[in-house]
Amino acid sequence: MQKSPAGKSRTGFRPSYRVDEVNRCLGCGKSHWYVGRISAECAFCGVALPISGQAAHVH
């Protein structure tokens, strides 16, 4: 029996920083980020987001 991938309704809302998109902060709405290897932090209010899993494959 195959397992089906969990849908959004089961996993909930998971915000993440997407390398190829404009990212607005969930805390203050601004779009300036300090981007590291595994997370990005808003330069204004300090909200941290994990970087989207797709970014790990970009070289």
Side-chain angles (χ1 to χ4, degrees):
M1 190 167 166
Q2 290 182 325
K3 292 184 180 180
S4 62
K8 287 184 182 179
S9 62
R10 295 184 68 202
T11 60
F13 177 63
R14 293 184 184 177
S16 63
Y17 181 89
R18 297 185 185 271
V19 176
D20 56 348
E21 296 179 18
V22 174
N23 294 275
R24 297 276 176 195
C25 176
L26 299 173
C28 67
K30 297 190 179 181
S31 61
H32 188 85
W33 297 87
Y34 296 120
V35 181
R37 285 188 250 165
I38 60 172
S39 66
E41 181 179 338
C42 176
F44 293 96
C45 71
V47 168
L49 296 175
I51 295 178
S52 173
Q54 299 170 353
H57 296 75
V58 177
H59 292 258

